Every structure is written in C-alpha cells, then in structure tokens.
Amino acid sequence: MTGIVTLTAAGAIDATYRVGTLRRGAFARADSYAREVSGKGVNVSAALAAGGADTAAVVVLGTDDVRFARAGLTAPLLRIVEVPGATRVNTSIIDAGGATTKVNAPTPPLSPEAWDATISALGVELAARTSPWLVISGSLPELAGTGALVDLAAVRAIAREHGARVAVDTSGAALDALLADPVGIDLLTPNAEELSATVGRPLDTLGDVVTAAREIVSRGVTTVLASLGADGLIAVTADHEVFARAEAPSVANTAGAGDAALAGFLLGLTREPAAGVDPLAVAAASAAEWGAHAVAHASTIVEGPPLGIRAVIETTPDLSHALTDEGQA
C-alpha cells in the first residue's frame, strides 16, 4: 500500500471543553475536558491509520509536551521535531446544542535549525516508502528572524527527490504563497470560504465552486477537493467533477472533519478501483464518509473506519444547486 507522510510544521495541543451553555462574558463550568496532541497533519495521519494506511506524522512540538505526546494514542505515528518550550494550545468549546467555538493560539516562529531538522525528518520518512504521498497541513510558522513564512521550496524539492505526490491543506498567506507557484501540487483541499478568498468573489452555487476550482487547476494543480461543510464536497479536475455527501450519525465536534475528509480522499485514491469504476468518484465518496464519521467524534482524532456511513455520489451534479452552508470544515 502507498505510504503517506504528513507535515505539521505548527503542532498543537487540542483542548476541548464541553459546556451546557456558552454566554459571552459569563462564567461557565465545563461538563468534560479532553486534551490531545493535534495539528492538521496529525489528525490526517490518525484517520489514515484508522483506515489501515501506512502513515507517519512529522510534527513540530515543544519539548515541554513531548512526554505527553509519547503517551497518547497517536504516539506510534509521530515523528517529533522538538523545539524549546511549550506547544501552542488550540481550544474548542462545544455547547449542548453542538455548536463549536474554536480559538487557536498564534503560531510561534521556527528557528532555521528546527526547520532543517523538519526537512530532514521528512526525507527519512519519504525514503522509507514507495511512491509516497506528502501531505502539507495546517498553518505555517515564520522562520525566526526573517518576518517571512518558512519556505516550502525545500519541502517540495524533497518530495520530488523521493517521487512523492503532494497534497496541500493550508490557508491564508501560506496558501497564497503556494498558489503563486502551484505546479507540481497534486491535490489542494480548500473549504468554500478559502476558495472564495482565493478567487476574490462569493461562491453561491455548486457551479461557482467548480468554476473557481478550475481556475486553480488551470494554474497547475491536478485536483481540487473543495469542502462545502454540511453541503458535502466536490472533487474537481480539468475535465471532470464529482459531488459527494454523507449524513453523519450525530454531530459531536466539527473540528477535524476536513482533516478526516482529506484522509478519506487519499484512502480512496490509493485503493485499486473495480473495472469501470471512476476512481475520482471512489475517492470523493470516501472523503465524504470519513468527514461525516469525524463530526460524530467528540475529539479531533478519529478511531476506526466509518462503518455504516454511505455517501451519495453525483458524477453529473446540478451546478445550479445553491449552497446553504459556509463550507467551513
């Protein structure tokens, strides 16, 4: 099976509080509290492992939290690059109605030495796998002393060196920098809001999303997988689009659904499709099922495959269909 290596250059500790009611400016006592090593690449690798894939998560963590990380459920997947101090904490507060309020800590800068160590760890993991995927996930830190984000040129170079296909799930300045030179990116996974910001206009219908995705494809990206939140998702290539949607058995925590959907898409792509079956449809269905599976989990780390969840697939979707959700995942 194809190996998949994820990069989380800004690792995190996820803290999740469950409260009955959340009111601005008021005191609330949590009904429960959970803490786990996270970051988008770690979440992706956890879902991949739950689906039976060979995966490793290269993640930058503060030394203060390494002992905690090595005792967690994801410990076997982690390839930790240690930096001084504590890891940033991202906080989710989920009320009794299922609404999630999320506050992410700022991303601390990374020293040149730590960035070099991160690149080296990626090289080791990619070299250990045949025809691997490299998934670049989450926010990117600044390179200390430069005022600029770490340069992904070295990451893309090491991917080419090891024949790795590249998937990217990031936003903001990091996404803008990648889209300035996107040739060689095999898969890009924005949500509707990020895609809208990239093309500079609102996306009101499925057709608007497809048109925007094709603009990105025309720049050199092979496939765009656009998450539309409760509306589902759509995979778009230069000449083909597939829409997929799956019902979640319940909604416990929406954080991490996009990470699970990306993992599901890669799991679908790495399967050998039956004769006559569209591989893009298989991957899109798998993405929708894993995303629905994730929102039923209390934590951002999913356990086990999405049993009993089946996606509805449309290989000729109605492009006039109006979007009802903001598309965030």
Side-chain angles (χ1 to χ4, degrees), residues 275-294:
V277 174
D278 179 4
L280 190 65
V282 171
S286 179
E289 290 161 5
W290 277 88
H293 180 51

Side-chain angles (χ1 to χ4, degrees), residues 13-22 28-35 89-96 98-103 252-253 298-299:
I13 302 296
D14 268 8
T16 303
Y17 296 84
R18 291 187 172 274
V19 301
T21 303
L22 180 64
R29 186 177 299 281
D31 298 321
S32 66
Y33 168 72
R35 186 170 177 262
V89 177
N90 294 339
T91 302
S92 295
I93 305 174
I94 306 171
D95 66 24
T100 301
T101 301
K102 190 166 176 61
V103 180
N253 187 359
S299 76

Side-chain angles (χ1 to χ4, degrees), residues 180-193:
D181 178 24
V183 175
I185 295 175
D186 297 275
L187 176 63
L188 190 70
T189 64
N191 61 35
E193 184 180 26

Side-chain angles (χ1 to χ4, degrees), residues 60-88:
V60 177
L61 295 175
T63 300
D64 294 359
D65 298 292
V66 168
R67 182 177 178 182
F68 170 71
R70 296 202 188 282
L73 292 174
T74 58
L77 307 176
L78 303 181
R79 307 296 183 266
I80 298 171
V81 178
E82 293 188 36
V83 295
T87 306
R88 67 186 181 125

Side-chain angles (χ1 to χ4, degrees), residues 198-210:
T198 296
V199 299
R201 60 180 183 273
L203 306 177
D204 299 321
T205 67
L206 208 53
D208 292 340
V209 173
V210 171

Side-chain angles (χ1 to χ4, degrees), residues 253-272:
N253 187 359
T254 57
D259 303 329
L262 170 54
F265 192 81
L266 292 173
L267 287 167
L269 280 185
T270 54
R271 294 192 195 116
E272 190 66 37

Side-chain angles (χ1 to χ4, degrees), residues 179 182-183 210-224 236-238:
L179 289 178
V183 175
V210 171
T211 299
R214 287 239 162 84
E215 290 180 23
I216 305 305
V217 169
S218 71
R219 301 182 197 179
V221 176
T222 304
T223 303
V224 171
V236 181
T237 65

